[in-house]
Amino acid sequence: MLLRYAKIAPLTMVLMLLGLSSCLYTVEETASFDLQNNGDTVQGPDSGMPAPDSDPFVALVGQLNHIGYYQQKQDCSYPIENGFYCLIPPVENAISKRIEAVNSDLDSGSSSLAPEQEITVVNMEGLLEIKSCFLLADYEVAANTYPRATVEEWTFDEELSAEKVAEQLSSLTEEEWYYLSESKISWWRKNHKLYFIFPAGNLMLSEIAKLQEKMQEIM
């Protein structure tokens, strides 16, 4: 198993789109996987311009500045006008795209780093909208290195739809998640929404519990 992980690490670097935990289990459901990523940043956040708080999710994420995390304006394929979060079409969700890429490598035989069998596709039926925010901390975790993460809110048409997707995500094995990402992914469900924290960089991994705890506290 360790040998396999050593071989598949390069694949996960290619598959990373966002920088995809042993965290707090205080909401309805949380899953965590011990993965790694080497994308630590050496640039501090722009905390001089507050994000607009008209959107509930943006307002929630904005309160993370109480623990030193600030929303950053971002460029993305599906931006909204104020630039503080991206609207991502449901079909472009990070989990499905990663599974698709891994299974494509397996089917084509183009990579010796693919898993032995296909990863089960997650049925995202009922997923209506994804909002994504990028965060940078205002403190260093190492010399000139600031933790960062992407947080997302996935909204479903009803609670049952979100529950079904949560069950599918829970059924993925740790090894399957490793093929999808080399960083820890934290996620949990609350009512008809799923929330994800995608850390970036090895030094961010110890920070995820703080982010998740604060988000759950202010929900």
Side-chain angles (χ1 to χ4, degrees), residues 30-146:
T30 297
S32 58
F33 304 92
D34 187 10
L35 308 179
Q36 293 184 347
N37 171 37
N38 293 311
D40 298 305
T41 183
V42 294
Q43 180 179 357
D46 176 10
S47 57
M49 183 184 303
D53 59 2
S54 58
D55 180 87
F57 176 62
V58 176
L60 182 155
V61 175
Q63 294 185 59
L64 296 174
N65 61 13
H66 295 302
I67 58 172
Y69 282 85
Y70 291 84
Q71 293 165 262
Q72 304 297 296
K73 282 206 167 187
Q74 55 189 324
D75 295 324
C76 60
S77 299
Y78 313 97
I80 63 161
E81 184 176 353
N82 65 42
F84 279 97
Y85 71 86
C86 296
L87 285 176
I88 301 175
V91 295
E92 297 294 326
N93 73 82
I95 303 299
S96 294
K97 298 300 286 185
R98 286 173 169 80
I99 292 176
E100 179 183 343
V102 172
N103 288 345
S104 177
D105 282 344
L106 177 63
D107 293 339
S108 66
S110 61
S111 174
S112 61
L113 303 176
E116 295 179 357
Q117 60 183 20
E118 288 191 352
I119 298 175
T120 301
V121 175
V122 176
N123 185 347
M124 295 291 181
E125 183 177 0
L127 179 57
L128 301 177
E129 181 181 72
I130 299 173
K131 294 176 181 176
S132 179
C133 291
F134 178 65
L135 300 174
L136 270 175
D138 64 357
Y139 57 88
E140 298 177 347
V141 290
N144 297 318
T145 304
Y146 299 81

Side-chain angles (χ1 to χ4, degrees), residues 4 8 11 23 40 68 74 79 89 99 119 128 167 184 189 219:
R4 175 180 300 173
I8 66 177
L11 172 64
C23 290
D40 298 305
Q74 55 189 324
I99 292 176
I119 298 175
L128 301 177
E167 290 174 351
K184 293 180 180 179
R189 178 176 72 87
M219 280 181 173

